[in-house]
Tab-separated table of all heavy atoms in Angstrom:
chain	number	residue	atom	x	y	z
A	4	ALA	N	26.452	1.524	-52.565
A	4	ALA	CA	27.226	0.438	-52.550
A	4	ALA	C	26.829	-0.552	-51.518
A	4	ALA	O	26.849	-0.293	-50.315
A	4	ALA	CB	28.804	0.714	-52.358
A	5	VAL	N	26.346	-1.832	-51.986
A	5	VAL	CA	25.884	-2.804	-51.067
A	5	VAL	C	26.861	-4.026	-51.197
A	5	VAL	O	27.117	-4.551	-52.360
A	5	VAL	CB	24.505	-3.180	-51.272
A	5	VAL	CG1	23.938	-4.202	-50.272
A	5	VAL	CG2	23.666	-1.941	-51.327
A	6	GLY	N	27.304	-4.592	-50.066
A	6	GLY	CA	28.181	-5.770	-50.128
A	6	GLY	C	28.790	-6.169	-48.815
A	6	GLY	O	28.546	-5.412	-47.846
A	7	PRO	N	29.132	-7.437	-48.695
A	7	PRO	CA	29.784	-7.850	-47.358
A	7	PRO	C	31.055	-7.014	-46.910
A	7	PRO	O	31.553	-6.304	-47.832
A	7	PRO	CB	30.292	-9.195	-47.753
A	7	PRO	CG	29.555	-9.693	-49.046
A	7	PRO	CD	29.349	-8.407	-49.774
A	8	ALA	N	31.405	-7.205	-45.748
A	8	ALA	CA	32.558	-6.463	-45.165
A	8	ALA	C	33.828	-6.933	-45.925
A	8	ALA	O	33.888	-8.148	-46.375
A	8	ALA	CB	32.637	-6.705	-43.626
A	9	GLY	N	34.713	-6.045	-46.090
A	9	GLY	CA	35.996	-6.379	-46.811
A	9	GLY	C	36.008	-6.415	-48.278
A	9	GLY	O	36.939	-6.917	-48.921
A	10	THR	N	34.872	-5.967	-48.938
A	10	THR	CA	34.872	-5.953	-50.413
A	10	THR	C	35.291	-4.591	-51.065
A	10	THR	O	35.123	-4.401	-52.317
A	10	THR	CB	33.537	-6.318	-50.860
A	10	THR	OG1	32.520	-5.627	-50.236
A	10	THR	CG2	33.123	-7.779	-50.626
A	11	GLY	N	35.809	-3.680	-50.230
A	11	GLY	CA	36.416	-2.546	-50.898
A	11	GLY	C	35.482	-1.331	-50.998
A	11	GLY	O	35.862	-0.454	-51.711
A	12	LYS	N	34.279	-1.420	-50.374
A	12	LYS	CA	33.446	-0.301	-50.574
A	12	LYS	C	33.815	1.032	-50.081
A	12	LYS	O	33.952	1.962	-50.791
A	12	LYS	CB	32.100	-0.665	-49.959
A	12	LYS	CG	31.376	-1.847	-50.236
A	12	LYS	CD	30.073	-2.197	-49.560
A	12	LYS	CE	30.137	-2.256	-48.178
A	12	LYS	NZ	31.049	-3.421	-47.613
A	13	THR	N	34.342	1.103	-48.829
A	13	THR	CA	34.841	2.410	-48.240
A	13	THR	C	36.285	2.647	-48.824
A	13	THR	O	36.471	3.933	-49.292
A	13	THR	CB	34.939	2.245	-46.734
A	13	THR	OG1	33.713	1.946	-46.161
A	13	THR	CG2	35.436	3.541	-46.153
A	14	TYR	N	37.055	1.690	-49.011
A	14	TYR	CA	38.454	1.920	-49.494
A	14	TYR	C	38.529	2.581	-50.788
A	14	TYR	O	39.202	3.506	-51.131
A	14	TYR	CB	39.115	0.584	-49.296
A	14	TYR	CG	40.694	0.624	-49.543
A	14	TYR	CD1	41.469	0.943	-48.545
A	14	TYR	CD2	41.246	0.453	-50.779
A	14	TYR	CE1	42.895	1.051	-48.639
A	14	TYR	CE2	42.597	0.390	-50.963
A	14	TYR	CZ	43.436	0.763	-49.868
A	14	TYR	OH	44.789	0.889	-49.883
A	15	LEU	N	37.705	1.948	-51.736
A	15	LEU	CA	37.775	2.482	-53.212
A	15	LEU	C	36.969	3.730	-53.281
A	15	LEU	O	37.438	4.647	-54.050
A	15	LEU	CB	37.127	1.375	-54.059
A	15	LEU	CG	37.802	0.262	-54.437
A	15	LEU	CD1	37.067	-0.836	-55.177
A	15	LEU	CD2	39.156	0.525	-55.281
A	16	ALA	N	35.953	3.989	-52.492
A	16	ALA	CA	35.223	5.324	-52.475
A	16	ALA	C	36.281	6.370	-51.980
A	16	ALA	O	36.421	7.451	-52.595
A	16	ALA	CB	34.030	5.295	-51.560
A	17	VAL	N	37.094	6.130	-50.971
A	17	VAL	CA	38.017	7.226	-50.414
A	17	VAL	C	39.114	7.446	-51.467
A	17	VAL	O	39.548	8.582	-51.732
A	17	VAL	CB	38.587	6.781	-49.143
A	17	VAL	CG1	39.761	7.516	-48.676
A	17	VAL	CG2	37.608	6.708	-48.056
A	18	ALA	N	39.614	6.262	-52.070
A	18	ALA	CA	40.604	6.433	-53.152
A	18	ALA	C	40.083	7.306	-54.317
A	18	ALA	O	40.767	8.190	-54.833
A	18	ALA	CB	41.068	5.145	-53.602
A	19	THR	N	38.865	7.060	-54.644
A	19	THR	CA	38.180	7.821	-55.880
A	19	THR	C	38.079	9.294	-55.403
A	19	THR	O	38.298	10.237	-56.137
A	19	THR	CB	36.881	7.234	-56.153
A	19	THR	OG1	36.961	5.742	-56.457
A	19	THR	CG2	36.234	7.967	-57.453
A	20	ALA	N	37.706	9.473	-54.158
A	20	ALA	CA	37.539	10.917	-53.569
A	20	ALA	C	38.918	11.635	-53.582
A	20	ALA	O	38.905	12.805	-53.980
A	20	ALA	CB	36.920	10.794	-52.219
A	21	VAL	N	39.918	10.967	-53.131
A	21	VAL	CA	41.317	11.608	-53.121
A	21	VAL	C	41.772	11.884	-54.450
A	21	VAL	O	42.274	12.967	-54.661
A	21	VAL	CB	42.295	10.738	-52.349
A	21	VAL	CG1	43.739	11.347	-52.416
A	21	VAL	CG2	41.955	10.501	-50.904
A	22	LYS	N	41.520	10.999	-55.461
A	22	LYS	CA	41.933	11.370	-56.782
A	22	LYS	C	41.196	12.505	-57.397
A	22	LYS	O	41.720	13.444	-58.108
A	22	LYS	CB	41.756	10.158	-57.689
A	22	LYS	CG	42.278	10.312	-59.077
A	22	LYS	CD	42.495	9.162	-59.886
A	22	LYS	CE	43.095	9.516	-61.215
A	22	LYS	NZ	43.139	8.233	-62.119
A	23	ALA	N	39.840	12.550	-57.084
A	23	ALA	CA	38.996	13.604	-57.495
A	23	ALA	C	39.463	14.974	-56.956
A	23	ALA	O	39.474	16.070	-57.678
A	23	ALA	CB	37.602	13.465	-57.242
A	24	LEU	N	39.947	14.832	-55.626
A	24	LEU	CA	40.449	16.115	-55.033
A	24	LEU	C	41.770	16.568	-55.701
A	24	LEU	O	41.960	17.782	-55.859
A	24	LEU	CB	40.602	15.943	-53.526
A	24	LEU	CG	41.105	17.157	-52.740
A	24	LEU	CD1	39.962	18.139	-52.600
A	24	LEU	CD2	41.495	16.650	-51.269
A	25	GLN	N	42.645	15.613	-55.945
A	25	GLN	CA	43.944	15.867	-56.532
A	25	GLN	C	43.805	16.445	-57.906
A	25	GLN	O	44.555	17.363	-58.368
A	25	GLN	CB	44.780	14.587	-56.576
A	25	GLN	CG	45.314	14.043	-55.294
A	25	GLN	CD	46.158	12.825	-55.388
A	25	GLN	OE1	45.953	12.223	-56.421
A	25	GLN	NE2	46.832	12.486	-54.388
A	26	GLU	N	42.748	16.011	-58.662
A	26	GLU	CA	42.607	16.568	-60.047
A	26	GLU	C	41.664	17.691	-60.026
A	26	GLU	O	41.392	18.181	-61.206
A	26	GLU	CB	42.019	15.392	-60.918
A	26	GLU	CG	42.862	14.219	-61.064
A	26	GLU	CD	42.428	13.086	-61.940
A	26	GLU	OE1	41.212	13.088	-62.202
A	26	GLU	OE2	43.134	12.176	-62.322
A	27	ARG	N	41.275	18.284	-58.901
A	27	ARG	CA	40.440	19.468	-58.787
A	27	ARG	C	39.070	19.338	-59.383
A	27	ARG	O	38.512	20.322	-59.829
A	27	ARG	CB	41.185	20.660	-59.335
A	27	ARG	CG	42.542	20.911	-58.717
A	27	ARG	CD	43.152	22.148	-59.207
A	27	ARG	NE	44.517	22.456	-58.718
A	27	ARG	CZ	44.814	22.879	-57.657
A	27	ARG	NH1	43.979	23.158	-56.604
A	27	ARG	NH2	46.109	22.886	-57.160
A	28	ASP	N	38.595	18.049	-59.392
A	28	ASP	CA	37.155	17.861	-59.799
A	28	ASP	C	36.228	18.260	-58.667
A	28	ASP	O	35.066	18.568	-58.903
A	28	ASP	CB	36.909	16.333	-60.097
A	28	ASP	CG	37.679	15.993	-61.469
A	28	ASP	OD1	37.986	16.871	-62.196
A	28	ASP	OD2	38.130	14.799	-61.492
A	29	VAL	N	36.749	18.211	-57.461
A	29	VAL	CA	36.015	18.651	-56.233
A	29	VAL	C	36.979	19.553	-55.377
A	29	VAL	O	38.134	19.404	-55.491
A	29	VAL	CB	35.408	17.468	-55.366
A	29	VAL	CG1	34.469	16.574	-56.204
A	29	VAL	CG2	36.583	16.651	-54.796
A	30	SER	N	36.360	20.420	-54.517
A	30	SER	CA	37.104	21.275	-53.704
A	30	SER	C	37.322	20.768	-52.284
A	30	SER	O	38.168	21.226	-51.584
A	30	SER	CB	36.561	22.667	-53.704
A	30	SER	OG	35.164	22.688	-53.103
A	31	ARG	N	36.503	19.741	-51.906
A	31	ARG	CA	36.566	19.136	-50.488
A	31	ARG	C	36.060	17.702	-50.475
A	31	ARG	O	35.182	17.320	-51.268
A	31	ARG	CB	36.128	19.989	-49.445
A	31	ARG	CG	34.615	20.344	-49.533
A	31	ARG	CD	34.168	21.134	-48.399
A	31	ARG	NE	32.764	21.583	-48.620
A	31	ARG	CZ	31.982	22.014	-47.647
A	31	ARG	NH1	32.491	22.113	-46.497
A	31	ARG	NH2	30.789	22.389	-47.920
A	32	ILE	N	36.499	16.974	-49.471
A	32	ILE	CA	36.092	15.630	-49.255
A	32	ILE	C	35.341	15.602	-47.902
A	32	ILE	O	35.908	16.113	-46.905
A	32	ILE	CB	37.153	14.546	-49.236
A	32	ILE	CG1	37.861	14.570	-50.646
A	32	ILE	CG2	36.701	13.205	-48.893
A	32	ILE	CD1	39.091	13.762	-50.550
A	33	ILE	N	34.124	15.060	-47.833
A	33	ILE	CA	33.364	15.060	-46.555
A	33	ILE	C	33.051	13.476	-46.317
A	33	ILE	O	32.507	12.762	-47.049
A	33	ILE	CB	32.157	15.788	-46.450
A	33	ILE	CG1	32.429	17.233	-46.539
A	33	ILE	CG2	31.398	15.587	-45.196
A	33	ILE	CD1	31.260	18.221	-46.800
A	34	LEU	N	33.684	12.952	-45.183
A	34	LEU	CA	33.382	11.558	-44.730
A	34	LEU	C	32.466	11.520	-43.641
A	34	LEU	O	32.828	12.178	-42.488
A	34	LEU	CB	34.730	10.916	-44.511
A	34	LEU	CG	35.862	10.992	-45.622
A	34	LEU	CD1	37.136	10.539	-45.085
A	34	LEU	CD2	35.449	10.317	-46.922
A	35	THR	N	31.487	10.863	-43.563
A	35	THR	CA	30.584	10.790	-42.501
A	35	THR	C	30.090	9.345	-42.251
A	35	THR	O	30.045	8.519	-43.113
A	35	THR	CB	29.348	11.819	-42.650
A	35	THR	OG1	28.630	11.868	-41.588
A	35	THR	CG2	28.565	11.358	-43.876
A	36	ARG	N	29.680	9.049	-41.003
A	36	ARG	CA	29.130	7.814	-40.633
A	36	ARG	C	28.396	7.975	-39.387
A	36	ARG	O	28.670	8.863	-38.540
A	36	ARG	CB	30.108	6.668	-40.542
A	36	ARG	CG	31.056	6.758	-39.303
A	36	ARG	CD	32.355	5.870	-39.404
A	36	ARG	NE	32.121	4.535	-39.860
A	36	ARG	CZ	32.332	3.463	-39.084
A	36	ARG	NH1	32.498	3.612	-37.849
A	36	ARG	NH2	32.234	2.309	-39.618
C-alpha cells in the first residue's frame, strides 16, 4: 500500500486483520514497524 499520510493504509489493514481474526481465517495478528 503506497499513499500519502491519512489515506487509511494502516487503519483499513488493521480493520481487515481484526475481521479475519474474528472469522477465524487467521489465528493471530502481528503488527510491526
Side-chain angles (χ1 to χ4, degrees):
V5 182
T10 49
K12 300 183 299 297
T13 302
Y14 192 81
L15 285 172
V17 172
T19 306
V21 171
K22 184 168 188 182
L24 184 67
Q25 288 177 345
E26 295 181 349
R27 302 184 187 279
D28 293 333
V29 297
S30 60
R31 59 179 173 163
I32 298 171
I33 295 171
L34 308 171
T35 183
R36 73 197 312 252

